[in-house]
């Protein structure tokens, strides 16, 4: 790694009107107790990986760069207490994060970069892959992207004639318990992509993946519209906090 990349990026540098500005001690150096604590955490992480650290300490590692010269343990604990766990902190909306005292732009950007990296890594394991042979990876991806959202999101996974995933697109966003979905738009996009089949996915922010009557009715409408155009709806997955429900497995499709 070159020296240039070891320097703090401007977006995270102290001097911006956020939490890092108030954390700079006289002389511009970290107090020794902070330096020692940070080094111990890094050493434990490198020796034992993420499993060696509880959620708040893993979050501290993420916050180190955003807040270079301040003890971030109190903020890490507040964030975990407020949102519930490490995953929920990362996936929390920027507006909700900024309501927590001590969170400024530098912290929000750092958390959202980590979240985006997690999503991209999970997505890379399923794109251009045969869905049947990578089903577990597909479920992991859906949970990573959707399980901790506080509003409903509806995604469509489009497959080719060999059941290889060719596109993953967000079709709609909604409220805490409703997302508008238009069957015509779903099948229209499938034809544009020259897809042969699709998998519907949406989340339940409540954590319970049990389908509502509206979910069942909407799925039937999309399946009927798809069938009329020679397309197949393989499944509809509802993603909860810790588990998912498959319409196909439940006999609902």
């Amino acid at each position: 790694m070159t020296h240039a990349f070891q320097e703090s990026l401007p977006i995270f540098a102290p001097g911006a009107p956020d939490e890092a500005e108030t954390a700079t001690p006289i002389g511009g150096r970290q107090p020794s107790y902070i330096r020692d604590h940070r080094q111990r955490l890094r050493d434990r992480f490198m020796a034992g990986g993420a499993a060696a650290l509880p959620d708040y300490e893993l979050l501290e590692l993420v916050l180190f760069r955003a807040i270079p010269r301040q003890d971030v343990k109190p903020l890490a604990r507040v964030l975990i207490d407020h949102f519930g766990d490490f995953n929920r902190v990362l996936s929390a909306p920027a507006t909700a994060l900024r309501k927590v005292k001590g969170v400024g732009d530098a912290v929000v950007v750092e958390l959202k970069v980590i979240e985006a990296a997690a999503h991209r890594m999970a997505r890379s394991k399923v794109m251009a892959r045969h869905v049947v042979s990578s089903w577990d990876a597909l479920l992991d991806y859906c949970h990573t992207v959707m399980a901790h959202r506080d509003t409903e999101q509806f995604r469509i996974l489009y497959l080719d004639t060999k059941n290889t995933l060719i596109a993953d697109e967000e079709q709609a966003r909604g409220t805490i318990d409703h997302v508008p979905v238009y069957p015509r738009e779903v099948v229209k996009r499938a034809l544009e992509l020259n897809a042969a089949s699709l998998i519907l996915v949406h989340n339940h922010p409540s954590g319970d993946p049990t389908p509502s009557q509206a979910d069942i009715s909407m799925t039937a409408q999309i399946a009927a519209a798809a069938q009329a155009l020679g397309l197949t709806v393989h499944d509809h997955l509802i993603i909860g906090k810790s588990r998912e429900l498959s319409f196909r497995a439940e006999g609902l499709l």
Side-chain angles (χ1 to χ4, degrees), residues 4 8 26 44 58 88 90 97 100 109 116 158 166 169 207 252:
S8 293
I26 296 174
R44 284 170 52 203
L58 189 62
R88 289 181 175 89
L90 290 185
L97 289 167
V100 177
V109 170
Y158 296 98
I166 57 174
E169 297 183 354
L252 296 172

Side-chain angles (χ1 to χ4, degrees), residues 182-221:
Y182 304 100
R184 178 180 176 180
E185 294 302 317
V186 173
V187 296
K188 177 183 176 183
R189 183 57 177 156
L191 294 175
E192 291 173 349
L193 293 167
N194 199 29
S197 58
L198 49 149
I199 297 172
L200 315 177
V201 190
H202 86 279
N203 63 308
H204 277 182
S206 67
D208 181 1
T210 302
S212 65
Q213 188 56 50
D215 292 334
I216 295 171
S217 176
M218 174 266 294
T219 304
Q221 291 175 36

Side-chain angles (χ1 to χ4, degrees), residues 150-194:
D150 60 358
T151 57
E152 286 199 12
Q153 180 190 61
F154 193 86
R155 305 183 76 88
I156 312 288
L157 308 180
Y158 296 98
L159 315 175
D160 65 13
T161 55
K162 296 181 180 179
N163 282 333
T164 297
L165 185 60
I166 57 174
D168 156 41
E169 297 183 354
E170 179 182 333
Q171 203 270 344
R173 295 186 184 187
T175 64
I176 192 170
D177 59 1
H178 173 71
V179 60
V181 178
Y182 304 100
R184 178 180 176 180
E185 294 302 317
V186 173
V187 296
K188 177 183 176 183
R189 183 57 177 156
L191 294 175
E192 291 173 349
L193 293 167
N194 199 29

Side-chain angles (χ1 to χ4, degrees), residues 23-235:
T24 307
I26 296 174
R29 291 176 57 101
Q30 291 176 342
S32 59
Y33 76 92
I34 292 181
R35 291 198 305 272
D36 293 346
H37 172 67
R38 291 187 174 203
Q39 190 57 52
R40 285 194 297 270
L41 271 190
R42 292 184 179 109
D43 291 344
R44 284 170 52 203
F45 177 76
M46 294 306 295
L53 304 177
D55 276 5
Y56 79 91
E57 288 186 334
L58 189 62
L59 186 56
E60 281 189 71
L61 287 175
V62 175
L63 296 175
F64 283 171
R65 185 171 175 84
I67 308 178
R69 299 179 179 88
Q70 180 178 320
D71 181 6
V72 297
K73 181 187 292 185
L75 179 57
R77 286 186 176 276
V78 167
L79 286 167
I80 295 294
D81 290 344
H82 185 81
F83 292 104
D85 59 28
F86 183 81
N87 291 334
R88 289 181 175 89
V89 172
L90 290 185
S91 60
T95 52
L97 289 167
R98 288 192 177 95
K99 291 179 182 178
V100 177
K101 185 177 181 180
V103 173
D105 288 346
V107 167
V108 171
V109 170
E110 198 74 15
L111 294 174
K112 290 302 153 187
V113 167
I114 299 297
E115 181 191 28
H119 290 183
R120 190 160 295 188
M121 290 177 66
R123 190 172 189 269
S124 71
K125 296 178 180 179
V126 298
M127 288 305 300
R129 306 286 181 90
H130 190 274
V131 166
V132 174
S133 61
S134 58
W135 189 251
D136 288 342
L138 181 67
L139 293 179
D140 287 344
Y141 168 62
C142 292
H143 276 280
T144 298
V145 174
M146 304 175 75
H148 300 290
R149 293 178 56 89
D150 60 358
T151 57
E152 286 199 12
Q153 180 190 61
F154 193 86
R155 305 183 76 88
I156 312 288
L157 308 180
Y158 296 98
L159 315 175
D160 65 13
T161 55
K162 296 181 180 179
N163 282 333
T164 297
L165 185 60
I166 57 174
D168 156 41
E169 297 183 354
E170 179 182 333
Q171 203 270 344
R173 295 186 184 187
T175 64
I176 192 170
D177 59 1
H178 173 71
V179 60
V181 178
Y182 304 100
R184 178 180 176 180
E185 294 302 317
V186 173
V187 296
K188 177 183 176 183
R189 183 57 177 156
L191 294 175
E192 291 173 349
L193 293 167
N194 199 29
S197 58
L198 49 149
I199 297 172
L200 315 177
V201 190
H202 86 279
N203 63 308
H204 277 182
S206 67
D208 181 1
T210 302
S212 65
Q213 188 56 50
D215 292 334
I216 295 171
S217 176
M218 174 266 294
T219 304
Q221 291 175 36
I222 294 177
Q227 185 178 25
L229 294 173
L231 302 169
T232 301
V233 176
H234 284 311
D235 209 342

